[in-house]
Amino acid sequence: MSDSDAKSYEIAIVNHTREELTRKEVHLDLQSLWSKDGTYVPPERIPSGNTAHFGSEGRSFVVGTQGYVIYTSSAGDFRVDWDNPFVEKKNSSSAECPNGIQKSKEDPEGYEDNATLKVTFYEAN
């Protein structure tokens, strides 16, 4: 269990595509764990029109948290990365999606101890 002062990232992935997203790969660095005592993990599937919520945090107050998740669909792969370092560096995140799909990303990418990220995937016009 991590220290309550540990760095963390709360993530939401909004699926506004016609695709069901199926988890293909998930990774946390060695200093990270899933929030809520290890139960706040990326779900196996994100149906069309649904939002997935999950998060990670450092194992103690002297480390950060970093990870990624990849979902797949008939359209291709969707990837979300996050990093909330312990040292005086900005939080960062990224999102990738297949051709024909667009994305929007809301992340202040500042120096927050408890960072938030919202990625929305939607059909291209």
Side-chain angles (χ1 to χ4, degrees):
M1 184 168 187
S2 71
D3 188 290
S4 62
D5 294 328
K7 297 276 194 154
S8 66
Y9 237 115
E10 173 97 16
I11 298 134
I13 299 176
V14 182
N15 180 7
H16 283 312
T17 73
R18 292 184 287 266
E19 304 288 330
E20 176 173 271
L21 307 182
T22 302
R23 194 175 74 196
K24 177 179 177 180
E25 186 176 340
V26 64
H27 173 79
L28 287 179
D29 70 359
L30 293 175
Q31 299 301 320
S32 300
L33 53 81
W34 296 112
S35 299
K36 299 184 181 180
D37 294 325
T39 63
Y40 206 37
V41 300
E44 291 288 330
R45 294 183 179 6
I46 309 173
S48 176
N50 286 27
T51 301
H53 296 274
F54 57 94
S56 69
E57 57 192 62
R59 291 185 180 274
S60 75
F61 71 94
V62 296
V63 295
T65 185
Q66 180 180 19
Y68 67 85
V69 63
I70 300 172
Y71 283 91
T72 193
S73 74
S74 62
D77 287 351
F78 298 73
R79 181 178 173 128
V80 176
D81 294 80
W82 62 93
D83 184 12
N84 190 348
F86 170 69
V87 294
E88 293 297 318
K89 292 183 181 177
K90 286 186 174 185
N91 308 326
S92 63
S93 63
S94 64
E96 300 171 13
C97 55
N99 289 335
I101 305 293
Q102 295 183 344
K103 66 181 180 293
S104 66
K105 184 172 74 87
E106 299 172 32
D107 185 348
E109 295 190 1
Y111 296 96
E112 295 84 8
D113 286 342
N114 301 301
T116 59
L117 167 63
K118 179 180 179 183
V119 177
T120 303
F121 294 114
Y122 55 96
E123 301 292 328
N125 291 331

